[in-house]
Amino acid sequence: MQHDDVLWDVIGNKQFCSYKVKTKTQNFCRNEYNITGLCNRSSCPLANSQYATVKEEKGQCFLYMKTIERAAFPSRLWERVKLSKNYEKALEQIDENLIYWPRFIRHKCKQRFTKITQYLIRIRKLTLKRQRKLVPLSKKVERRESRREEKALIAAQLDNAIEKELLERLKQGTYEDIYNFPIHAFDKALEQQDEESETDSSEEEDEDVGQVEYVEGDEIDESDLSDFEAMDKLEVDGEEEQEHSSIAEEQEKETSISKGKTPVKGLARKKRPFVEIEYEQETEPSAKASST
Amino acid sequence: MLQLYRTLEQLAARKKRQKEREALGDKAPPKPVPKTIENQRIYDETTVDPNDEEVAFDEATDEFSTYFNRETSPKILITTSDRPRGRTVRLCEQLAKVVPNSHVYYRRGLALKKIIPQCVARDFTDLLVINENRKVPNGLIVSHLPNGPTAHFKMSNARLAKELKRKGKDPTLHIPEVILNNFSTRLGHTIGRMFASLFPYSPQFVGRQVATFHNQRDYIFFRFHRYIFRNEKKVGLQELGPRFTLKLRSLQKGTFDSKYGEYEWVHKRHEMDTSRRKFHL
């Protein structure tokens, strides 16, 4: 004897069914053999002894049927038929197998089968296109990396680095003649001359070490000084960097006053490593040239 | 900004040391050089020696040699991932202004493996793909085209040109210079050459524009400036153009093929991030 109605009264209608999912507007059935997915008197696989579904496994569709005769044998309860891959033929198969069954079940089986084939087609199409792979980010790692990036940014001192690189390129001459900084080339020429004069002077000093020399006193210093200043001023007017030369003059005066009888040339030479001022040195080689 | 707070003990110790130094005057021992991460960096055995012949030979025969021999001049295709948002699109446009001879194309859901043969057919030399996540650009793929290496970077802190504090104008069409700083290892060299090959070989100094790729602790900072020499010891810099930071994630030998490609270098976090003093670029 089948007790469908009793079962439905117990399970579906008001009391508890473990497959039932209640929402505000509707009840769903989570039973895997349910044909529509809703919790209804006609859709409940437990409350209907004659029932059929279409299920899909790994791309293959099967028609499952349950009959009253096998109700006592749960292990053999569901009978399955493999459906053809051809859509129309499969529909005919369903009709064939479910002949004389209630209209509702036949209709719903075909509907379910249609939906399943449609989503299988979609799966096949999507696998051919590009798949988006989701890569999980670890918040800890992301935070660590952003912190390290900040510190690297500070350590990089980008502006300074870029400026240094550009100045180096300028010095190496990659920009050739675009930038006219005559003083720069002048610097180089002067440095070369200074190096030559340094080597010359060092040789001379070595030679002079043992010898006795008689040098005049203050007169020469003052006259030399005055000549020096005049020459400096004449040279300076034509150029831009008057500040440098004026500083040179002042320092020269101070040191000459403090040191007294030391020759001006020696002063200039001693000062060179500490004070890089062109015009002081400019006059010096010319003075040397005149003396030698 | 990040600040250093010193404890009271450290302040007291510092004062004591200063007093001792002053007391000793000239005889004080020279100041110790402070330890920085760059000082303490673990020596990388693949660091390139400028006189290394092997490296020079490799570089004369690698995929960028055609660029460095001036046989090809770069032509670049810039694109994004699917459905780009406003920020990414604007970044692409600005990049196109920065990099000469570059074209922006919309992705429209095309597969990269199908785009690449088409690009090769139309004589493109490089492909730049800006990947986007959550409305913000977060990745960059640089693929050198005939059959050259593909580098995948993580992009962060991308700032558009108008967001920078500047009063400068747009970048002009002159070819910019390129500065590549601190690419010391073999891997760094390859990446540096890859960046260099994006820009035409001879820059137009009249334009006074410079694109900088500065590597610091494996982060590559990209900046685009206009410079002006005020005198021979001072330069003024004005930042135009976008800026972003890149971190190399993988370098793959052929053109883009994430599944079957041969990876020359992959960032493996558990092996490579164990030491704070070890860097790979």
Side-chain angles (χ1 to χ4, degrees):
Chain A
M1 267 316 297
Q2 268 319 306
H3 324 279
D4 290 348
D5 293 324
V6 177
L7 262 177
W8 178 247
D9 266 339
V10 171
I11 291 172
N13 220 353
K14 280 177 192 149
Q15 298 187 35
F16 180 77
C17 169
S18 68
Y19 296 107
K20 181 153 66 173
V21 174
K22 279 174 104 169
T23 48
K24 276 189 197 154
T25 46
Q26 243 193 3
N27 292 344
F28 293 102
C29 182
R30 279 192 311 126
N31 192 319
E32 53 174 337
Y33 290 100
N34 190 314
I35 204 169
T36 52
L38 307 173
C39 188
N40 283 330
R41 173 68 182 84
S42 40
S43 317
C44 186
L46 307 170
N48 288 304
S49 26
Q50 193 186 45
Y51 200 76
T53 339
V54 176
K55 284 204 325 180
E56 172 262 329
E57 197 180 331
K58 289 189 199 153
Q60 292 277 1
C61 296
F62 296 96
L63 174 66
Y64 286 78
M65 291 176 284
K66 156 175 131 162
T67 41
I68 307 177
E69 290 88 16
R70 297 198 299 273
F73 312 107
S75 64
R76 289 177 249 159
L77 188 56
W78 291 97
E79 172 195 340
R80 96 175 176 176
V81 173
K82 185 165 166 184
L83 294 173
S84 131
K85 296 227 168 145
N86 186 337
Y87 181 68
E88 280 93 28
K89 276 208 191 143
L91 287 180
E92 283 171 15
Q93 269 181 308
I94 293 178
D95 264 334
E96 206 186 293
N97 279 303
L98 298 182
I99 198 168
Y100 306 132
W101 279 53
R103 223 179 331 142
F104 176 79
I105 294 188
R106 258 189 286 146
H107 182 58
K108 289 294 176 190
C109 273
K110 286 188 220 165
Q111 271 194 336
R112 197 180 164 90
F113 174 70
T114 312
K115 186 150 255 171
I116 289 178
T117 47
Q118 285 177 346
Y119 81 58
L120 284 176
I121 291 171
R122 202 149 167 259
I123 289 178
R124 273 180 241 133
K125 232 196 278 181
L126 282 177
T127 50
L128 290 177
K129 284 194 181 172
R130 302 148 47 224
Q131 307 283 355
R132 183 164 293 185
K133 189 174 161 194
L134 293 176
V135 175
L137 296 175
S138 160
K139 212 197 313 184
K140 186 174 166 192
V141 172
E142 294 302 310
R143 254 191 282 152
R144 192 204 298 160
E145 291 200 341
S146 64
R147 233 182 305 136
R148 289 201 182 157
E149 190 191 310
E150 271 174 28
K151 296 193 175 169
L153 182 61
I154 296 172
Q157 295 178 344
L158 281 173
D159 290 338
N160 289 350
I162 299 177
E163 287 173 12
K164 231 204 284 179
E165 177 70 30
L166 288 172
L167 286 170
E168 278 223 19
R169 289 188 183 182
L170 181 65
K171 276 195 188 148
Q172 283 176 354
T174 42
Y175 300 134
E176 288 155 21
D177 287 328
I178 301 178
Y179 299 103
N180 292 339
F181 291 124
I183 302 157
H184 171 66
F186 211 40
D187 259 346
K188 272 198 177 170
L190 284 174
E191 279 178 32
Q192 284 179 356
Q193 273 198 343
D194 294 337
E195 286 173 16
E196 293 168 24
S197 59
E198 266 202 56
T199 51
D200 290 339
S201 63
S202 62
E203 288 168 8
E204 276 195 27
E205 283 172 359
D206 288 337
E207 289 172 5
D208 288 345
V209 162
Q211 296 179 9
V212 177
E213 254 190 46
Y214 298 98
V215 187
E216 286 183 51
D218 298 319
E219 293 172 358
I220 294 178
D221 284 347
E222 284 170 24
S223 62
D224 277 355
L225 257 179
S226 59
D227 285 337
F228 222 88
E229 283 173 25
M231 286 166 67
D232 255 345
K233 276 179 189 163
L234 279 175
E235 304 280 347
V236 160
D237 285 341
E239 307 284 347
E240 297 171 36
E241 307 217 355
Q242 295 191 15
E243 312 160 340
H244 290 291
S245 54
S246 58
I247 296 168
E249 286 173 58
E250 287 170 353
Q251 286 186 330
E252 230 182 288
K253 278 184 208 163
E254 288 170 5
T255 46
S256 61
I257 291 165
S258 61
K259 292 191 182 174
K261 292 185 185 176
T262 50
V264 180
K265 292 179 205 168
L267 245 183
R269 239 177 261 136
K270 272 185 199 167
K271 279 171 59 188
R272 206 190 299 116
F274 303 103
V275 177
E276 281 178 280
I277 299 156
E278 301 90 343
Y279 302 97
E280 187 186 273
Q281 296 147 2
E282 179 204 350
T283 52
E284 184 218 330
S286 56
K288 260 196 61 79
S290 62
S291 63
T292 52
Chain B
M1 281 306 283
L2 300 167
Q3 283 177 341
L4 274 174
Y5 293 103
R6 299 191 201 275
T7 59
L8 282 173
E9 296 99 40
Q10 282 176 316
L11 284 168
R14 203 176 176 203
K15 274 197 172 165
K16 193 171 151 208
R17 264 182 274 133
Q18 260 190 327
K19 274 191 186 165
E20 285 177 5
R21 165 156 282 119
E22 280 169 32
L24 284 177
D26 279 336
K27 291 181 279 176
K31 271 193 181 173
V33 178
K35 289 189 202 173
T36 63
I37 294 185
E38 283 76 30
N39 286 348
Q40 310 294 92
R41 176 177 174 174
I42 295 178
Y43 176 70
D44 196 335
E45 52 204 18
T46 60
T47 309
V48 172
D49 180 28
N51 307 329
D52 200 342
E53 290 170 354
E54 198 187 310
V55 172
F57 177 72
D58 272 341
E59 294 189 348
T61 52
D62 75 351
E63 292 111 344
F64 301 111
S65 54
T66 51
Y67 164 79
F68 284 102
N69 296 336
R70 307 217 199 179
E71 286 162 18
T72 53
S73 89
K75 188 174 173 199
I76 299 171
L77 181 70
I78 303 182
T79 184
T80 65
S81 53
D82 284 340
R83 308 271 176 118
R85 308 288 293 187
R87 265 190 89 88
T88 318
V89 171
R90 269 174 277 150
L91 180 67
C92 282
E93 289 171 17
Q94 288 175 4
L95 259 186
K97 279 193 217 162
V98 163
V99 178
N101 204 7
S102 56
H103 306 265
V104 181
Y105 278 101
Y106 277 134
R107 183 73 174 273
R108 289 168 122 251
L110 302 167
L112 278 183
K113 289 193 202 167
K114 294 195 181 147
I115 298 183
I116 286 178
Q118 288 198 16
C119 283
V120 177
R122 289 176 209 202
D123 268 345
F124 279 95
T125 56
D126 287 277
L127 174 68
L128 247 68
V129 184
I130 297 182
N131 195 14
E132 187 200 7
N133 185 28
R134 283 206 174 175
K135 309 180 195 178
V136 138
N138 73 345
L140 177 69
I141 299 179
V142 183
S143 187
H144 191 68
L145 274 186
N147 48 0
T150 306
H152 175 40
F153 297 92
K154 177 176 96 140
M155 189 194 286
S156 46
N157 278 340
R159 300 261 173 277
L160 302 176
K162 67 166 188 179
E163 293 167 6
L164 306 169
K165 291 181 193 159
R166 55 143 207 163
K167 303 149 205 162
K169 301 182 188 166
D170 291 327
T172 59
L173 290 172
H174 296 109
I175 299 177
E177 296 174 52
V178 182
I179 291 183
L180 299 162
N181 275 345
N182 288 352
F183 288 96
S184 53
T185 64
R186 279 302 291 275
L187 180 65
H189 248 245
T190 320
I191 302 290
R193 282 161 72 80
M194 182 179 259
F195 285 132
S197 70
L198 292 177
F199 294 88
Y201 196 79
S202 32
Q204 293 171 306
F205 298 120
V206 185
R208 284 189 283 127
Q209 292 176 133
V210 57
T212 309
F213 293 90
H214 180 105
N215 171 37
Q216 188 81 15
R217 303 181 193 174
D218 279 355
Y219 289 96
I220 303 173
F221 299 101
F222 170 78
R223 300 284 185 273
F224 190 73
H225 291 277
R226 178 170 283 139
Y227 62 86
I228 176 167
F229 284 109
R230 296 188 207 281
N231 56 39
E232 82 273 12
K233 299 213 168 137
K234 258 180 44 161
V235 192
L237 285 182
Q238 194 185 51
E239 185 160 4
L240 342 161
R243 63 153 80 162
F244 45 83
T245 41
L246 300 171
K247 185 160 200 271
L248 181 67
R249 279 225 212 119
S250 67
L251 180 65
Q252 184 207 325
K253 255 203 158 3
T255 53
F256 182 79
D257 189 342
S258 48
K259 274 199 273 181
Y260 303 113
E262 181 197 334
Y263 280 93
E264 209 175 296
W265 188 85
V266 177
H267 178 78
K268 293 187 187 143
R269 191 160 59 82
H270 292 286
E271 292 170 19
M272 297 179 185
D273 270 355
T274 45
S275 161
R276 290 180 212 221
R277 306 282 178 262
K278 185 164 191 353
F279 305 112
H280 310 280
L281 271 188

